[in-house]
Amino acid sequence: MVFIVKKKINGKDYYYLRQSIRKKGKVVSKCLAYLGKTRNEAERKAKEIIGNMKKNQTLLSKNLNSNKIDSENKKDNNRTNDKTSKPKELNFKQVKISVEDIASFCKRKGFVYQSAEIYGGFSGFWDFGNLGVELKNNIKKEWWRYHVFSRQDIQGIDGSIITHPKVWKASGHVDNFSDVFVVCKKCKKPGKVDKSEIGKVKCPHCNGEYDFENAKEFMLMFKTTVGEDETAYLRPETAQLIFINFKSVFENCRGKLPFGIAQVGKAFRNEIAPRDFLFRSREFEQMEIEYFIAPKQKCPYEIPDEEILVYSAEMQEKNQKPVKMKFKDALDKGIFKKDWHAYWLAIEFLWFKNLGVNPDNFRIRQHKKDELAHYSSDCWDLEYKFPFGWKELEGIADRSNYDLSQHEKFSKKDLRIFDEKTKQKILPEVICEPSLGVERTFLVFLFDSYSKNEKGDVVLRLHPKIAPIKAAVFPIVKKPEFEELAEKVFKELKKEWNVVYDKAGSIGRRYARNDEIGTPFCITIDGDSIKNNDVTIRERDSTKQIRVKISELKEILRKLINQEISFEKAGKKI
Ligand code: GAP
């Protein structure tokens, strides 16, 4: 039996979902979920959870009866192109969760807090907790590994956040990087519109007229003062630091075109209306590449054989639906103007796919002419199906030589480089600028991995490479010989990974606690471990267990995290 209970804590009401079951003649009751602070919210969430439990139950009994993998799980098994055999995942269900609920999950579990909450919060600013910082760091590390370490044509830099104000004059941000702030005459809600929309659009909330007469232009860059009175700006994109350092980096690396420079770092935008949790913030991080080529240079790389929903500007203008096709075919059909866009979009999509996301939640959309930024002649976004709609996750713009020529003009410096092939000095073009927000990526991994098992417990099925905690170590019972050995194993693993030690509660409870925050492996020291110097490893996604020697544990764990070995082949099956 499942029911809602209200608890009063410090004078405030909190609602929970509890379940009572009869076990060996006794009624055992356990808390299934926190439901919020109001009766209405609690009833809505309870309905959703009970619905999911029922669906999971049906799914489970179907699986048990037919012993077949249902279509849902077929989809799950196709989620990665990893060659290692994945265990059957019969009992999981990806759960659709609202942005409000993911925000509350993140707060409860220590991923993300509203910044300065004790002072009432600060809109558009977020603080990352002990799990959030690990997930964020792992995302950045994996991005760097894929884009910089594993390629020969890309090098990294780390530029300053506040730089010479002329950089932003030259880039066009001082003159163009603004929104127009308006208030609806009818519902009085504030809104932002693009300059091109003045006089043309209505309030999206009530369809009322905007008060365009009193519209105010709103500069999106944050101003600050350097020294006594010099005005400077916090960078609104990391890209400009790449342009102003391009020539030095290229020459120091003895670069050859095509050549990319990568950077990961903070960017700041004074957004009029920050919203959707981390999605639109005022302080965020970008992972950007400026990819330089000689004018008209063709793409020498093979385009990955992947397919995705494609939504060109023409399809949008003709009110057509996006079409699923291979990147290569879209190029052959002339949907991409240049081979480079097909290549970079496929490479970026593949990064997400290799980290285990559901490819069906991705599509690429070309900017219509009136959407293009002032520096861009063509731009495609990699979009994700967020709970609040298809939204930009990553922009990939063709910036031509706009930025380098602007900086030449404003600095009066020659930014051309010597091209070995043509034996001439040339000003390279940025053919593609893959620009991805860390926070949006963070959201994608959370939404995509948020699942429930057949008991209705949350399991965050993050790829082991990005999971905040790689393993949890448990002594099976609280006895000195078990605890001593468990602590020894824990300390050894801790030298290399973020690992936790947990001896509180039943083993089942400890598994559930770790499943909920995405820990891929749980290591237990049991009675046999004391005799044989070995441990059990339990895999989050299959809940299967293997036994391995402690002397081999580190090497096996490394292979499991990197998915270089299948779980079942990593040790002796239990
Ligand atoms: N250098 C190009 C550039 O900055 P952009 O489309 O303005 O292009 C690139 O931003 C990416 O940065 C976006 O696709 C998004 O992932 C992230 N981003 C932009 N504004 C953001 C905001 N206010 N909050 C969170 N992420 C943001």
Side-chain angles (χ1 to χ4, degrees):
M1 192 176 110
V2 181
F3 51 95
I4 298 175
V5 290
K6 182 171 86 177
K7 278 192 185 173
K8 252 200 177 2
I9 303 171
N10 292 336
K12 288 188 183 153
D13 292 342
Y14 294 88
Y15 290 85
Y16 297 87
L17 190 67
R18 287 192 76 83
Q19 183 179 39
S20 291
I21 33 174
R22 188 170 284 280
K23 262 188 188 169
K24 294 182 188 160
K26 274 190 190 161
V27 176
V28 191
S29 172
K30 71 168 183 174
C31 181
L32 293 181
Y34 167 64
L35 297 176
K37 294 181 187 161
T38 63
R39 185 86 208 172
N40 280 352
E41 190 187 359
E43 278 171 1
R44 184 178 53 76
K45 283 191 187 161
K47 214 166 137 191
E48 199 179 298
I49 294 169
I50 295 166
N52 282 332
M53 281 168 73
K54 280 185 186 154
K55 272 189 222 152
N56 283 330
Q57 206 57 49
T58 331
L59 226 146
L60 180 61
S61 53
K62 263 192 210 157
N63 286 328
L64 290 175
N65 291 341
S66 63
N67 211 14
K68 277 184 192 160
I69 301 172
D70 64 42
S71 63
E72 202 62 41
N73 291 305
K74 269 188 204 154
K75 258 192 242 154
D76 279 348
N77 286 343
N78 288 337
R79 282 170 61 154
T80 162
N81 64 349
D82 212 299
K83 296 287 177 291
T84 54
S85 78
K86 284 207 95 190
K88 284 180 189 174
E89 294 155 1
L90 293 177
N91 307 336
F92 288 100
K93 192 150 172 50
Q94 195 182 351
V95 175
K96 292 220 180 315
I97 177 170
S98 69
V99 71
E100 292 79 22
D101 286 347
I102 207 84
S104 118
F105 171 81
C106 281
K107 183 178 166 185
R108 266 194 335 271
K109 292 291 141 194
F111 282 92
V112 185
Y113 312 112
Q114 164 97 70
S115 189
E117 200 174 16
I118 57 166
Y119 292 100
F122 205 36
S123 178
F125 297 91
W126 300 94
D127 297 334
F128 289 78
N130 64 315
L131 296 182
V133 67
E134 296 298 335
L135 176 55
K136 207 172 174 217
N137 284 344
N138 292 342
I139 289 171
K140 291 189 274 183
K141 206 162 69 194
E142 284 311 312
W143 186 90
W144 198 265
R145 198 197 309 275
Y146 181 83
H147 293 92
V148 182
F149 291 170
S150 72
R151 299 181 63 114
Q152 287 186 334
D153 56 344
I154 298 186
Q155 297 285 331
I157 64 157
D158 183 19
S160 64
I161 283 174
I162 300 173
T163 185
H164 200 295
K166 269 198 183 163
V167 169
W168 306 108
K169 187 73 190 158
S171 68
H173 283 83
V174 171
D175 298 323
N176 296 307
F177 200 53
S178 57
D179 275 334
V180 178
F181 178 74
V182 280
V183 174
C184 171
K185 285 184 190 168
K186 196 170 152 196
C187 71
K188 309 288 176 218
K189 282 201 174 127
K192 75 162 191 175
V193 297
D194 196 75
K195 279 185 215 158
S196 62
E197 294 172 323
I198 294 182
K200 295 182 194 160
V201 289
K202 291 192 169 177
C203 170
H205 303 289
C206 68
N207 209 29
E209 299 286 336
Y210 275 133
D211 181 3
F212 286 115
E213 269 174 30
N214 292 309
K216 278 186 225 143
E217 196 165 340
F218 198 83
M219 153 86 95
L220 289 174
M221 282 196 294
F222 281 102
K223 267 190 196 167
T224 185
T225 308
V226 174
E228 233 176 81
D229 56 5
E230 192 181 1
T231 299
Y233 304 96
L234 302 194
R235 64 185 186 195
E237 60 170 10
T238 64
Q240 292 307 320
L241 279 297
I242 297 181
F243 295 120
I244 60 174
N245 287 294
F246 164 70
K247 192 172 179 180
S248 309
V249 178
F250 186 82
E251 289 175 355
N252 289 146
C253 301
R254 292 185 290 127
K256 280 193 197 85
L257 296 172
F259 179 78
I261 300 181
Q263 185 176 202
V264 176
K266 291 267 185 185
F268 304 83
R269 295 184 190 175
N270 199 2
E271 298 283 355
I272 294 176
R275 63 182 169 277
D276 293 325
F277 187 30
L278 302 174
F279 183 84
R280 191 167 298 285
S281 346
R282 289 179 163 142
E283 176 176 340
F284 55 97
E285 283 190 81
Q286 289 183 318
M287 306 185 275
E288 292 198 300
I289 294 169
E290 301 303 323
Y291 200 79
F292 299 89
I293 61 162
K296 299 204 169 62
Q297 190 169 19
K298 298 292 277 177
C299 175
Y301 309 120
E302 202 180 312
I303 297 163
D305 189 24
E306 294 290 334
E307 64 170 15
I308 196 166
L309 269 183
V310 177
Y311 203 17
S312 67
E314 194 184 329
M315 291 172 186
Q316 295 163 63
E317 275 145 19
K318 290 186 178 162
N319 277 331
Q320 292 168 345
K321 291 216 162 106
V323 180
K324 197 164 213 176
M325 63 179 101
K326 292 204 170 172
F327 289 89
K328 277 182 197 158
D329 296 343
L331 178 63
D332 293 343
K333 287 186 178 142
I335 293 175
F336 296 122
K337 285 187 220 149
K338 293 175 186 160
D339 48 2
W340 284 105
H341 252 122
Y343 171 73
W344 271 109
L345 282 159
I347 286 288
E348 293 308 284
F349 171 59
L350 205 51
W351 181 70
F352 280 100
K353 204 176 154 199
N354 287 345
L355 288 172
V357 294
N358 180 356
D360 294 340
N361 288 332
F362 287 75
R363 74 175 187 190
I364 52 171
R365 189 183 73 81
Q366 187 178 24
H367 282 208
K368 291 185 279 177
K369 276 215 173 66
D370 59 359
E371 285 180 87
L372 287 171
H374 62 275
Y375 50 73
S376 162
S377 53
D378 189 15
C379 183
W380 285 79
D381 287 343
L382 181 63
E383 294 193 332
Y384 181 78
K385 206 200 292 171
F386 287 97
F388 41 91
W390 284 102
K391 297 279 169 193
E392 172 186 345
L393 170 58
E394 174 168 18
I396 304 186
D398 177 346
R399 286 181 88 129
S400 65
N401 66 12
Y402 173 84
D403 301 88
L404 286 184
S405 54
Q406 283 292 100
H407 288 302
E408 274 201 323
K409 204 161 99 192
F410 278 75
S411 68
K412 302 195 171 51
K413 296 274 165 24
D414 180 5
L415 297 182
R416 289 174 305 162
I417 47 111
F418 186 74
D419 181 35
E420 285 291 340
K421 261 189 214 142
T422 54
K423 305 282 178 218
Q424 274 180 351
K425 279 184 111 183
I426 57 162
L427 194 64
E429 291 177 2
V430 166
I431 189 67
C432 277
E433 180 204 41
S435 174
L436 175 63
V438 175
E439 285 74 6
R440 289 190 191 177
T441 307
F442 186 99
L443 280 182
V444 163
F445 285 124
L446 285 180
F447 282 123
D448 225 82
S449 64
Y450 193 92
S451 315
K452 294 214 171 155
N453 61 19
E454 76 276 14
K455 287 189 258 168
D457 294 333
V458 173
V459 181
L460 212 54
R461 296 169 70 213
L462 291 167
H463 191 291
K465 282 186 182 169
I466 56 165
I469 294 170
K470 303 293 182 225
V473 181
F474 314 145
I476 197 157
V477 285
K478 281 190 200 167
K479 284 191 179 168
E481 65 269 37
F482 291 87
E483 289 186 23
E484 254 166 49
L485 188 56
E487 272 172 35
K488 198 172 141 204
V489 168
F490 165 67
K491 280 186 187 148
E492 196 46 43
L493 298 181
K494 190 97 185 110
K495 288 180 192 161
E496 211 159 315
W497 297 286
N498 190 31
V499 175
V500 291
Y501 178 74
D502 190 354
K503 59 178 180 177
S506 69
I507 281 286
R509 191 65 220 118
R510 284 182 262 176
Y511 284 154
R513 225 172 5 238
N514 279 284
D515 286 351
E516 195 181 6
I517 56 171
T519 309
F521 305 106
C522 288
I523 295 163
T524 304
I525 280 68
D526 61 10
D528 287 347
S529 307
I530 311 286
K531 284 184 259 160
N532 304 328
N533 243 335
D534 61 11
V535 294
T536 68
I537 309 180
R538 179 247 195 202
E539 188 188 39
R540 178 197 63 205
D541 291 351
S542 65
T543 71
K544 289 188 175 156
Q545 292 186 52
I546 52 170
R547 190 167 272 286
V548 305
K549 287 276 169 219
I550 292 178
S551 56
E552 292 167 9
L553 178 62
K554 252 181 151 174
E555 197 43 39
I556 290 172
L557 194 59
R558 182 173 304 115
K559 285 186 180 155
L560 287 173
I561 292 169
N562 293 327
Q563 301 216 317
E564 290 165 5
I565 190 171
S566 76
F567 183 72
E568 300 195 8
K569 287 189 186 137
K572 220 167 100 191
K573 265 201 245 168
I574 299 180

